[in-house]
């Protein structure tokens, strides 16, 4: 982490006109001596570190609109680097730390960043591959060439519609698309969520999410800074660290695997969670069983929400009111949502494509005008590619991705419907349902399941267990038991990988 002066003179009053940074920085100005993070990091020292990194980026000739690509381990300095990039007028480009050098090469070629910041161990290879970019380093301990001293510079004026970040989608088909996110899109969403989830300066957020993704970088970090909350800033998920922090914290934002892993520890109980007021889950569906177990153990109901790289958050279960397991709640107050079929909006209860419109929606895909036109309508409605339905009370349920829809014998099959039935079968921990090529039906339903070890599981037993609950065309023609489902870093099941793995199953068995 950057060396931080206790007095932090650079955090004294400065004249700024930077839409996002002004707002995130404002709650700190009268509280510079207060602690922001464990380890004694004060608000003043934190923002002084941002100023230092802004100066370093300016010394690297970063100009307004220039991209700064960052692939580094999570650290306080890495978070400061995001804010420094935006403060200097740049466009922050976080890269998944799991990306290979070849994957990074495509993103760098597409985004053409002025600067790449990477782990010191990758510097030589990055420099050799990307001769048009300046390569700087930042290690997990917060040290590196990017934190060298440089003459202080003033923040750069940026308006609401100027770009603050480009996040590349984690799609599993085709090339990743760079979603352009404006200052206004990020700030409006953080303000809405901070108010809806009732964050304030008395909160302490356990931050264990990665910061190369919208959930950890924009939702968690921005809300904490905007509301003046403290953070327990962890390098990643750590059961011991999270359980140790709970008695002095008030909120946790996580993905479903956070909650299933915590449930596996007997130390989790009502007493440990007594000081907590909010547990948020997103990025992947949370099993209804996990909801029930969590409430039984802690007395809290997890709040599930729905968002995307292109939009940040779109919906949320209510802070006060019924949090329905299996749903993602209602549209945010400033977000419109509709369910569309081929002929227009579908009736309530019907399944269709989810479209959203609001100040949170991205500005388009970087250097992909044709793709932008396909998914972002001229009137501002974004075609999410998700399938959903709205029940009689207005709660929204995500049924799946349009690309995951199975069409077997001319019938539409929504994987989530089959998965919910499978997940209720004794002995099944979780399931993923996919469609793969079938010689007779076009696509055949395949279930890939993870057993919980309580009873013996085999294909015929599973098929028999669901036969009375699903129409025959929806029933899995094959069932495979695996140790774990393939997931990305945010916990989403990688169905494209499953489809590739089981693509030839019906050609072999001819079922």
């Amino acid at each position: 982490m950057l060396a931080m002066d206790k007095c932090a003179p650079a955090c004294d009053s400065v004249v700024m006109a930077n839409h996002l940074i002004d707002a995130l920085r404002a709650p700190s100005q009268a509280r510079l001596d207060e602690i922001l993070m464990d380890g004694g990091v004060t608000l003043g020292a934190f923002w002084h570190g941002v100023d230092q990194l802004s100066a370093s980026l300016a010394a690297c000739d970063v100009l307004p609109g220039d991209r700064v690509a960052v692939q580094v381990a999570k650290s306080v300095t890495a978070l400061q680097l995001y804010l420094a990039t935006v403060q200097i007028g740049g466009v922050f480009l976080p890269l998944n730390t799991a990306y290979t050098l070849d994957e990074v090469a495509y993103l760098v070629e597409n985004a053409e960043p002025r600067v790449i910041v990477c782990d010191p161990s990758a510097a030589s290879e990055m420099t050799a591959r990307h001769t048009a970019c300046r390569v700087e380093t930042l290690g997990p301990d917060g040290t590196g060439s990017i934190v060298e001293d440089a003459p202080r510079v003033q923040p750069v004026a940026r308006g609401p519609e100027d770009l603050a970040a480009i996040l590349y989608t984690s799609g599993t088909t085709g090339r990743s698309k760079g979603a352009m996110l404006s200052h206004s899109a990020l700030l409006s969403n953080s303000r809405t969520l901070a108010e809806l989830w009732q964050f304030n300066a008395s909160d302490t957020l356990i931050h264990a999410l990665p910061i190369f993704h919208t959930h950890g970088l924009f939702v968690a970090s921005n809300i904490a800074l905007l509301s003046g909350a403290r953070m327990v800033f962890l390098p990643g998920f750590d059961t011991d660290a999270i359980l140790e922090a709970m008695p002095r914290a008030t909120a946790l934002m996580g993905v479903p695997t956070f909650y299933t892993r915590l449930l596996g520890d007997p130390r989790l109980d009502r007493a440990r969670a007594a000081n907590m007021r909010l547990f948020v889950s997103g990025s992947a569906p949370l099993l209804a069983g996990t909801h029930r177990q969590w409430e039984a153990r802690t007395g809290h109901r997890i709040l599930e929400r729905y968002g995307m790289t292109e939009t940040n958050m779109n919906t949320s279960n209510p802070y006060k009111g019924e949090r329905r397991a299996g749903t993602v709640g209602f549209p945010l107050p400033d977000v419109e949502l509709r369910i569309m079929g081929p002929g227009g909006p579908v009736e309530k209860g019907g399944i269709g494509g989810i479209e959203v419109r609001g100040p949170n929606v991205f500005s388009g895909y970087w250097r992909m005008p044709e793709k932008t036109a396909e998914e972002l309508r001229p009137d501002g409605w974004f075609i999410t590619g998700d399938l959903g339905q709205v029940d009689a009370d207005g709660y929204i349920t995500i049924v799946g991705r349009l690309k995951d829809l199975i069409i077997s014998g001319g019938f539409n099959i929504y994987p989530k419907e089959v998965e919910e039935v499978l997940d209720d079968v004794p002995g099944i921990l979780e399931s993923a349902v996919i469609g793969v090529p079938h010689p007779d039906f076009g696509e055949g339903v395949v279930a890939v399941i993870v057993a919980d070890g309580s009873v013996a599981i085999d294909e015929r037993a599973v098929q028999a267990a669901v036969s009375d609950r699903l129409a025959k065309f929806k029933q899995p023609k094959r069932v495979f038991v695996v140790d774990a489902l393939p997931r990305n870093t945010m916990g989403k099941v990688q169905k494209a990988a499953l489809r590739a793995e089981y693509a030839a199953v019906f050609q072999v068995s001819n079922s």
Side-chain angles (χ1 to χ4, degrees), residues 352-373:
I354 297 175
E355 298 187 10
V356 296
R357 181 169 67 179
N360 58 312
V361 174
F362 74 134
S363 306
Y365 293 114
W366 175 258
R367 293 177 174 171
M368 291 185 176
E370 298 84 2
K371 198 65 181 175
T372 299

Side-chain angles (χ1 to χ4, degrees), residues 65-408:
D66 283 346
R67 280 73 61 204
V68 176
V70 177
Q71 188 188 39
V72 299
K74 182 181 178 182
S75 67
V76 176
T77 311
L79 179 61
Q80 292 170 315
L81 185 57
Y82 147 57
L83 299 165
T85 299
V86 179
Q87 180 167 278
I88 202 66
V91 179
F92 192 66
L93 177 60
L95 302 179
N96 191 323
T97 52
Y99 285 162
T100 65
L101 289 167
D102 286 343
E103 289 171 318
V104 169
Y106 163 73
L107 302 177
V108 169
E109 179 184 352
N110 184 252
E112 293 187 302
R114 171 78 67 175
V115 175
I116 300 172
V117 183
C118 65
D119 187 87
S121 64
S124 296
E125 183 69 21
M126 285 285 192
T127 301
R129 281 177 173 244
H130 307 295
T131 56
C133 304
R134 178 162 176 161
V135 175
E136 301 289 338
T137 62
L138 177 62
D141 61 353
T143 64
S145 63
I146 195 63
V147 298
E148 295 300 317
D149 288 336
R152 184 167 177 257
V153 295
Q154 289 295 316
V156 173
R158 301 302 275 171
E161 301 312 312
D162 285 320
L163 290 188
I166 297 175
L167 261 63
Y168 278 83
T169 59
S170 57
T172 53
T173 58
R175 286 295 196 180
S176 294
K177 300 167 291 185
M180 298 185 290
L181 298 164
S182 69
H183 282 240
S184 177
L186 298 182
L187 180 56
S188 66
N189 203 238
S190 298
R191 280 176 166 161
T192 296
L193 293 170
E195 181 176 356
L196 189 68
W197 294 342
Q198 299 188 14
F199 272 86
N200 58 53
S202 66
D203 277 305
T204 297
L205 172 69
I206 302 174
H207 194 311
L209 291 162
I211 55 172
F212 54 72
H213 186 273
T214 187
H215 193 175
L217 182 61
F218 299 140
V219 178
S221 304
N222 284 358
I223 287 176
L225 292 170
L226 191 64
S227 62
R230 293 178 64 167
M231 286 187 273
V232 178
F233 200 74
L234 303 176
F237 178 85
D238 183 300
T239 299
D240 291 339
I242 291 175
L243 290 174
E244 187 276 329
M246 270 191 192
R248 55 193 170 88
T250 60
L252 170 68
M253 295 185 191
V255 297
T257 51
F258 280 24
Y259 296 103
T260 56
R261 290 176 184 174
L262 289 167
L263 282 167
D265 194 300
R267 293 174 293 174
L268 178 71
D269 56 21
R270 288 179 179 242
R272 188 171 290 275
N275 196 56
M276 298 289 290
R277 67 171 185 86
L278 181 62
F279 294 95
V280 176
S281 182
S283 300
L286 190 71
L287 295 177
T290 305
H291 271 280
R292 292 191 293 268
Q293 293 173 49
W294 191 266
E295 185 174 17
R297 287 275 292 278
T298 68
H300 293 275
R301 284 188 69 78
I302 297 170
L303 186 151
E304 195 166 7
R305 87 302 178 273
Y306 161 59
M308 302 182 71
T309 300
E310 292 92 339
T311 62
N312 291 303
M313 298 304 105
N314 296 310
T315 76
S316 172
N317 267 274
Y319 181 76
K320 293 184 176 179
E322 183 185 0
R323 300 176 190 172
R324 289 193 183 175
T327 80
V328 292
F330 307 99
L332 298 182
D334 55 354
V335 175
E336 299 174 85
L337 183 146
R338 65 188 184 187
I339 307 294
M340 298 291 285
V346 303
E347 295 183 2
K348 187 163 284 190
I351 294 175
I354 297 175
E355 298 187 10
V356 296
R357 181 169 67 179
N360 58 312
V361 174
F362 74 134
S363 306
Y365 293 114
W366 175 258
R367 293 177 174 171
M368 291 185 176
E370 298 84 2
K371 198 65 181 175
T372 299
E374 288 176 14
E375 300 184 18
L376 190 59
R377 299 185 189 277
D379 59 359
W381 286 98
F382 172 56
I383 304 168
T384 66
D386 287 321
L387 292 166
Q389 61 186 148
V390 181
D391 68 16
D393 297 321
Y395 284 83
I396 299 156
T397 298
I398 309 299
V399 177
R401 292 288 291 171
L402 181 60
K403 67 185 179 185
D404 293 333
L405 175 68
I406 303 167
I407 303 176
S408 184

